[in-house]
Amino acid sequence: MSKPLVGALMVVVYTGVISSADGITKLLAGSYEAAQIYALSGAVIAVLSVLVCWCHKIWPIERSGHQGDGKPDAGGGVWRTKCPGAMALRSLATLLAASCFFYAFRLLPFAQVFLFIGLMPLMAGALSGVILRERIRPSAWIALVVGFVGVLFLFPGGVSSISAGHFFALMAAGLGTLSMIMARYISRFDSDLLPQVFYPNLALCLAMLPLLPLVWQPMPIGDLAWALSYAALLFAARWLAVAALRLLPAYVVMPLMNLQFIWCCRLGR
């Protein structure tokens, strides 16, 4: 299959996986603080990244790039990146976006948060031109603006209903978009995808650890299973997002991610 088609299929799978993870976030947000959920999930995803990298070294997968001796290019592993500054910015944006999404899901109905997620393609279009120097066709801008206007019509209660939850949702959408844009930027230089999954989640875990003693609550087996499922889903979703952004421009990927609205309707029932 062509690269654009593969990228589009990855985005479709991503929307289902990330919507399931968001549903678990909504489920746990009423009982636990963000620090507890994200310290646990960040640690699990970081460990999964290391394990996948280790398995890849034992059973290498053929890649599109090759070394000079004709052997498959195994990349730099989970630790190495040629863009430490960009990786730090992506990690910070991911950390802040995750925290804002958590409180948005706590304060708002599930569907309202997705209205703000619907604004992310327009944000991606603007940031792609500034950061990635990608030329966006006028027709794409028209489509993005029409989509933005459509989302505004869906906003319940009008401007007068804006609350702290809506502020968190808007910040989460903006920071999440910045994280996605930086993922495409880093993919221009790094052959491995795993560092882009490993470092943001390691940062998330380390940032939440100092707060953990203040907010920790014992978790029943059922809630722990949900938290671990959330971590596994998030690991898969973030890998798929980075892989798709390597194949497609961000302003193309982000509108496709609005397929989450379909999953949102299913999960909200």
Side-chain angles (χ1 to χ4, degrees):
M1 292 186 291
S2 64
K3 287 184 178 181
L5 180 57
V6 173
L9 290 175
M10 285 182 171
V11 176
V12 172
V13 176
Y14 164 87
T15 60
V17 175
I18 196 64
S19 296
S20 300
D22 287 341
I24 296 175
T25 301
K26 181 67 176 176
L27 177 68
L28 297 177
S31 303
Y32 303 96
E33 292 295 332
Q36 182 167 346
I37 300 301
Y38 288 146
L40 178 60
S41 63
V44 171
I45 294 172
V47 170
L48 285 174
S49 300
V50 174
L51 290 176
V52 170
C53 181
W54 178 70
C55 293
H56 185 199
K57 289 181 178 179
I58 296 177
W59 299 290
I61 300 173
E62 186 73 19
R63 302 168 64 115
S64 58
H66 289 77
Q67 300 171 350
D69 56 4
K71 296 180 179 179
D73 176 12
V78 74
W79 311 106
R80 298 182 184 178
T81 176
K82 295 179 181 178
C83 307
M87 188 69 78
L89 179 57
R90 169 169 159 76
S91 299
L92 178 62
T94 302
L95 167 63
L96 296 176
S99 300
C100 289
F101 268 125
F102 183 90
Y103 288 107
F105 280 121
R106 169 176 284 186
L107 297 172
L108 294 176
F110 196 78
Q112 286 192 30
V113 179
F114 273 81
L115 295 180
F116 286 89
I117 294 175
L119 301 178
M120 292 176 71
L122 186 62
M123 298 177 182
L127 290 177
S128 293
V130 174
I131 297 175
L132 302 176
R133 306 297 185 200
E134 292 180 345
R135 181 180 177 274
I136 304 176
R137 297 188 304 273
S139 58
W141 274 118
I142 293 173
L144 292 172
V145 171
V146 170
F148 170 73
V149 173
V151 169
L152 291 181
F153 276 108
L154 292 172
F155 195 85
V159 178
S160 60
S161 64
I162 293 177
S163 65
H166 298 116
F167 170 77
F168 281 120
L170 180 62
M171 291 297 296
L175 291 164
T177 302
L178 176 60
S179 176
M180 295 283 190
I181 295 295
M182 296 313 300
R184 181 159 174 81
Y185 176 84
I186 295 168
S187 295
R188 293 176 173 178
F189 304 95
D190 287 355
S191 61
D192 252 311
L193 302 179
L194 283 174
Q196 294 200 57
V197 179
F198 173 77
Y199 281 111
N201 287 284
L202 179 64
L204 191 61
C205 176
L206 295 178
M208 297 299 173
L209 278 179
L211 302 175
L212 199 54
L214 304 176
V215 300
W216 175 262
Q217 296 184 42
M219 300 183 75
I221 295 297
D223 287 353
L224 181 60
W226 279 119
L228 293 176
S229 299
Y230 167 77
L233 289 169
L234 202 59
F235 171 80
R238 288 182 172 165
W239 187 93
L240 286 166
V242 173
L245 285 163
R246 170 174 286 182
L247 300 173
L248 295 172
Y251 68 86
V252 174
V253 170
M254 304 302 285
L256 290 174
M257 287 182 175
N258 282 343
L259 288 170
Q260 289 175 253
F261 282 109
I262 298 174
W263 299 108
C264 169
C265 293
R266 295 288 298 177
L267 291 170
R269 292 178 63 179

